[in-house]
Amino acid sequence: MAINRIQFQKGLSFHAFQAAYGTEEQCLEAMVKAKWPDGFHCPRCGGGEAYFVTQRRLFQCKACRHQTSVMVGTVCESSHLSLRTWFEAMYRLSQGKHSISALELKRCLGVRYPTAYYLKQKILCATAASESGRTLHNRVEIDDAYAGGATHDGKRGRGAPGKQPFLVAVETAMENHRKVLYAVLKVLPNFKRETIVAWAEQTVAPEAHVVSDGLASFGGVTDMGASHEPIKSEGGWRGSKMEAFQAVNTVISNLKGNILGVCRWCSARHLPRYLAEFQFRFNNRFDLKTIFPALLVAVVRTAPHPVTCLVAEACG
Ligand SMILES: [Zn+2]
């Protein structure tokens, strides 16, 4: 059997992670580099030089004397956890083939369950922010999918009650459909034509070629210039084996295995964040060693998400 180079590549081992980020000082240094790649930038006056107040681990602007921490303005703001704890959580959430549950994170980090839960949700918000502007090019397979709701009501797929619809789009090379590139997974209120038109404007490049089953509203992707190839799906298991939809069906199947295997159940409120996490890991899978630095950059660039926000609503 041929070895899949992406699946079998060498990742960042826990040993290597510990060597690079095992102390609070190493984590601080890495976070400062991620937050201020061109040097310190005072959030109050824009000054470019600061003293480091060692005892309080704060940076004091040389121009206006304003004190700030590396966590201010990031998704870590107001956290009482050590940077090492944040870093290990990011490592655990980014290096596995699947996500890990808040319960498993609690055990790994030695923190209380609510702490692990909100830590995970905040990191997922960073993955969502990082992936929010992604556009798909080349050939794009799209399909509708559903999560949640009653599982034994006898109705599946389109029109099933209580289920949260989302759209899965997977980019492949134009000539070689087996060369899978990137994916975008997005919760939508419905699959009406106007919804598809708005989604395509945000997600699909005008020169892309979109392949879908026969659902008429998918034709809305042509409004912004993309070409569209509807292929009548055979339905059932035969439909899931069709060559034209192999990439999108594989992604949906892996996603379902991930959500069911890790979370057992995913509420509609949290679904956008779980989809974003899956999407972030999928789109950064080509080089496992760069996922962690990419997630660190996402975390420092994402605005604070207070717990009240996480409880009240899902993040884009
Ligand atoms: Zn200043």
Side-chain angles (χ1 to χ4, degrees):
M1 189 177 78
I3 283 185
N4 181 323
R5 284 175 192 230
I6 293 175
Q7 298 269 17
F8 282 83
Q9 67 180 299
K10 212 171 168 181
L12 178 65
S13 72
F14 189 62
H15 185 75
F17 168 79
Q18 283 282 59
Y21 308 106
T23 69
E24 202 63 14
E25 283 65 35
Q26 287 172 311
C27 295
L28 180 66
E29 193 182 331
M31 200 152 172
V32 166
K33 275 187 189 158
K35 183 172 181 177
W36 295 307
D38 302 317
F40 175 78
H41 181 87
C42 174
R44 183 189 275 174
C45 75
E49 289 186 76
Y51 301 106
F52 183 60
V53 185
T54 313
Q55 258 185 333
R56 301 183 61 202
R57 307 179 74 74
L58 295 173
F59 293 85
Q60 181 169 316
C61 174
K62 283 188 184 178
C64 73
R65 301 175 63 80
H66 175 65
Q67 290 190 335
T68 187
S69 106
V70 74
M71 286 182 161
V72 168
T74 76
V75 84
C76 315
E77 184 172 305
S78 309
S79 171
H80 298 295
L81 297 171
S82 68
L83 288 178
R84 277 189 64 202
T85 305
W86 273 93
F87 272 54
E88 187 172 338
M90 283 186 259
Y91 173 79
R92 302 273 181 195
L93 283 164
S94 64
Q95 279 300 310
K97 185 161 162 49
H98 299 292
S99 179
I100 67 168
S101 66
L103 190 62
E104 198 175 344
L105 202 55
K106 162 197 176 300
R107 291 177 187 164
C108 291
L109 304 177
V111 297
R112 293 167 58 239
Y113 178 76
T115 305
Y117 177 82
Y118 288 115
L119 185 56
K120 177 176 173 179
Q121 296 303 326
K122 286 181 180 193
I123 293 172
L124 297 201
C125 286
T127 64
S130 169
E131 286 290 319
S132 64
R134 186 171 292 279
T135 304
L136 300 179
H137 302 256
N138 296 295
R139 178 181 171 277
V140 180
E141 295 177 17
I142 64 173
D143 201 4
D144 52 329
Y146 303 82
T151 52
H152 300 292
D153 55 10
K155 194 160 186 206
R156 298 176 59 169
R158 279 169 198 157
K163 295 203 184 279
Q164 178 77 48
F166 61 99
L167 190 64
V168 180
V170 183
E171 177 182 339
T172 73
M174 193 63 91
E175 303 304 331
N176 180 3
H177 305 170
R178 297 207 165 203
K179 188 175 181 188
V180 180
L181 300 168
Y182 303 103
V184 170
L185 299 90
K186 175 87 175 167
V187 171
L188 295 179
N190 52 57
F191 294 109
K192 290 179 182 169
R193 187 181 172 95
E194 60 265 30
T195 309
I196 298 299
V197 170
W199 170 84
E201 279 172 1
Q202 285 185 341
T203 315
V204 181
E207 78 279 6
H209 180 68
V210 179
V211 182
S212 74
D213 64 17
L215 187 65
S217 59
F218 284 155
V221 299
T222 57
D223 281 22
M224 37 63 73
S227 56
H228 179 225
E229 180 184 354
I231 298 174
K232 196 173 177 340
S233 171
E234 294 179 40
W237 67 269
R238 283 196 182 85
S240 68
K241 299 283 179 199
M242 284 176 69
E243 177 76 19
F245 305 120
Q246 191 174 41
V248 73
N249 283 331
T250 303
V251 167
I252 292 173
S253 165
N254 288 347
L255 174 75
K256 287 185 173 168
N258 197 329
I259 288 188
L260 289 177
V262 174
C263 311
R264 311 308 302 172
W265 177 79
C266 177
S267 72
R269 199 177 65 197
H270 294 312
L271 184 62
R273 285 198 287 267
Y274 285 106
L275 294 184
E277 183 203 8
F278 180 90
Q279 183 180 319
F280 180 88
R281 194 182 297 107
F282 185 84
N283 291 338
N284 285 283
R285 72 196 184 285
F286 300 104
D287 185 353
L288 284 178
K289 286 185 179 163
T290 62
I291 292 187
F292 181 80
L295 183 54
L296 177 58
V297 167
V299 161
V300 299
R301 286 188 184 167
T302 303
H305 281 68
V307 167
T308 45
C309 154
L310 292 171
V311 172
E313 59 188 77
C315 308

